[in-house]
Amino acid sequence: MHNSGKYVIRYLLFTMLACIFVVLGAFFYKKTKAETIINKVEYAEKSSVDYRVYLKENKFFDEKYLTKDNIINEKKLLVAELIDKISINYNYVLSFSEKVNGNYTYYIKAIVESNESAGSKNYWSKEYMLTDKKTKDIKDTDSVIILDDVNVQYEKYNKILNDWKNVAGVSMDGKLKVILVFESTISAPNLEKKYQINNSDIKLELPLSKAATEITINENASDNTKTIEEKVVNSDSKYLKYRIGVVFSGLLSIICVIMILVTRSSQKNDNKYYTELKKILSTYDGIIVNVSSLPDLDKFNVIKVRSFEELLDAHSEVRLPINYYPQKRKATFILVNDTMLWMYTLRNND
């Protein structure tokens, strides 16, 4: 391959590598810049409340209790005087889009409320714990299921409201709420922080201090999807590998530029060498003889000259041809006369 073609290939190779490393450096640099990432975990609540209304012994109803379906389908009103207790069953399911860890606590409470008859203002209310608080761990799961029940002595809370009504001496509406309270703290692999989840009220509600009462339920029969969303800014420590990539790509780019400069310098040296060699061979073609090997230098008194002109001066004295021996990175010219040998070496210095 001609030398110019060799250097063209080197230029192209190192230029291409330098461009690649510059692009990689830009890519890694972009990764090190602060950017906002949005992490999400979706969760859905599904709840239902079932109940039975147990009746006191009476001569009017054959049944010991009325079910939720009986009351709703037959559109029954409940006579407060006949209610013994209400057995309530809660079914609560919390589903996540990812597997989570953490813990949850739940309990069931009753609230007796005394409100203004003509408005929404509250006169008095009091909470009563119906169950102990129950705490459980959440371990690598995508759902939490709670099944629990409680018996509510309706007559007890009705009496509490009537006692308050007699003391207050004002017109009021009484209300009993029976609520499942759920509280949870969860974490997920794609979340940086822990998050608290409180359920929507799952409650059964009925009037107090009324001759007839009607049960209403706040439940969620279909999935109610919500989202935990956090915005996280990339931290320097988290993206250290990208910073290393910037430095590494930059160093390689510098090395490629240096190699391009070295190649250019080598090309200049080669051009200078071949120009000088061509000039000598063409100018002094009549006195230069090509040889395939050098003689044994140990048999001669060798005089190394520093320029081809000095070798020409010796030639003028002895009038013998100058031998030319080409080598890979140099050209050797010698002049032999008996035991004397004059030598000049033209080198291609990178």
Side-chain angles (χ1 to χ4, degrees), residues 330-349:
K330 63 182 179 180
T332 303
F333 297 89
I334 61 173
L335 180 63
V336 180
N337 183 29
D338 294 333
T339 59
M340 297 295 295
L341 186 147
W342 291 266
M343 176 185 292
Y344 168 66
T345 302
L346 178 64
R347 299 183 183 275
N348 184 0
N349 297 313

Side-chain angles (χ1 to χ4, degrees), residues 36 52 65 97 109 143 252 297 299 332:
T36 300
R52 290 179 178 181
Y65 58 81
S97 60
K109 68 179 181 180
S143 65
L252 289 177
L297 300 180
K299 296 180 178 180
T332 303

Side-chain angles (χ1 to χ4, degrees), residues 191-237:
L191 295 178
E192 297 285 327
K193 302 176 183 177
K194 293 183 178 179
Y195 290 87
Q196 189 169 350
I197 296 174
N198 299 323
N199 70 314
S200 306
D201 285 347
I202 307 169
K203 64 186 177 184
L204 178 146
E205 186 176 308
L206 64 164
L208 293 172
S209 190
K210 300 286 186 181
T213 187
E214 185 177 9
I215 296 175
T216 58
I217 301 172
N218 177 20
E219 61 182 358
N220 180 23
S222 59
D223 289 345
N224 179 20
T225 302
K226 299 179 182 179
T227 302
I228 298 172
E229 184 175 292
E230 65 179 12
K231 294 181 179 180
V232 181
V233 177
N234 295 348
S235 62
D236 287 343
S237 58

Side-chain angles (χ1 to χ4, degrees), residues 29-36 233-236:
Y29 177 73
K30 184 178 179 181
K31 286 291 186 180
T32 63
K33 295 177 68 177
E35 57 181 341
T36 300
V233 177
N234 295 348
S235 62
D236 287 343

Side-chain angles (χ1 to χ4, degrees), residues 67-309:
T67 66
K68 176 182 177 181
D69 290 339
N70 293 148
I71 295 170
I72 293 175
N73 294 337
E74 298 176 20
K75 299 181 180 179
K76 288 183 179 293
L77 283 174
L78 301 171
V79 177
E81 186 64 28
L82 294 181
I83 298 174
D84 179 26
K85 66 177 181 179
I86 304 172
S87 177
I88 307 171
N89 179 267
Y90 291 94
N91 184 339
Y92 177 71
V93 179
L94 182 61
S95 302
F96 296 92
S97 60
E98 310 283 342
K99 289 191 175 183
V100 298
N101 293 284
N103 59 71
Y104 67 89
T105 299
Y106 79 92
Y107 59 94
I108 300 172
K109 68 179 181 180
I111 301 177
V112 176
E113 286 187 358
S114 168
N115 300 318
E116 183 184 18
S117 297
S120 58
K121 293 182 180 179
N122 177 261
Y123 289 124
W124 170 82
S125 63
K126 188 173 181 178
E127 292 188 1
Y128 301 87
M129 293 289 290
L130 300 183
T131 66
D132 294 331
K133 289 186 177 182
K134 301 174 183 179
T135 300
K136 296 185 179 182
D137 291 332
I138 302 173
K139 294 183 178 179
D140 196 30
T141 184
D142 58 5
S143 65
V144 173
I145 300 174
I146 295 176
L147 299 173
D148 210 340
D149 53 64
V150 66
N151 291 321
V152 178
Q153 305 299 325
Y154 176 78
E155 188 173 14
K156 169 185 173 182
Y157 299 106
N158 204 29
K159 183 178 183 304
I160 291 172
L161 194 281
N162 285 329
D163 289 345
W164 160 249
K165 190 174 183 179
N166 291 333
V167 171
V170 295
S171 177
M172 65 180 68
D173 285 335
K175 189 179 294 184
L176 174 65
K177 297 178 180 178
V178 185
I179 304 172
L180 171 68
V181 179
F182 175 90
E183 302 167 343
S184 176
T185 301
I186 63 102
S187 63
N190 65 328
L191 295 178
E192 297 285 327
K193 302 176 183 177
K194 293 183 178 179
Y195 290 87
Q196 189 169 350
I197 296 174
N198 299 323
N199 70 314
S200 306
D201 285 347
I202 307 169
K203 64 186 177 184
L204 178 146
E205 186 176 308
L206 64 164
L208 293 172
S209 190
K210 300 286 186 181
T213 187
E214 185 177 9
I215 296 175
T216 58
I217 301 172
N218 177 20
E219 61 182 358
N220 180 23
S222 59
D223 289 345
N224 179 20
T225 302
K226 299 179 182 179
T227 302
I228 298 172
E229 184 175 292
E230 65 179 12
K231 294 181 179 180
V232 181
V233 177
N234 295 348
S235 62
D236 287 343
S237 58
K238 186 175 180 180
Y239 290 86
L240 178 60
K241 60 183 180 181
Y242 295 127
R243 298 174 73 89
I244 294 173
V246 172
V247 175
F248 185 68
S249 298
L251 289 175
L252 289 177
S253 299
I254 292 172
I255 290 173
C256 287
V257 171
I258 292 173
M259 293 305 297
I260 291 173
L261 295 176
V262 169
T263 300
R264 184 178 180 184
S265 177
S266 297
Q267 184 182 26
K268 287 181 177 179
N269 286 332
D270 268 357
N271 289 341
K272 182 179 179 182
Y273 167 76
Y274 286 109
T275 300
E276 182 67 19
L277 179 61
K278 183 178 179 181
K279 178 182 177 182
I280 293 173
L281 294 178
S282 61
T283 303
Y284 303 103
D285 180 63
I287 61 172
I288 293 177
V289 177
N290 291 336
V291 295
S292 59
S293 63
L294 292 174
D296 187 359
L297 300 180
D298 292 336
K299 296 180 178 180
F300 297 92
N301 183 16
V302 178
I303 300 173
K304 293 182 178 180
V305 297
R306 290 181 293 181
S307 67
F308 191 77
E309 284 72 17

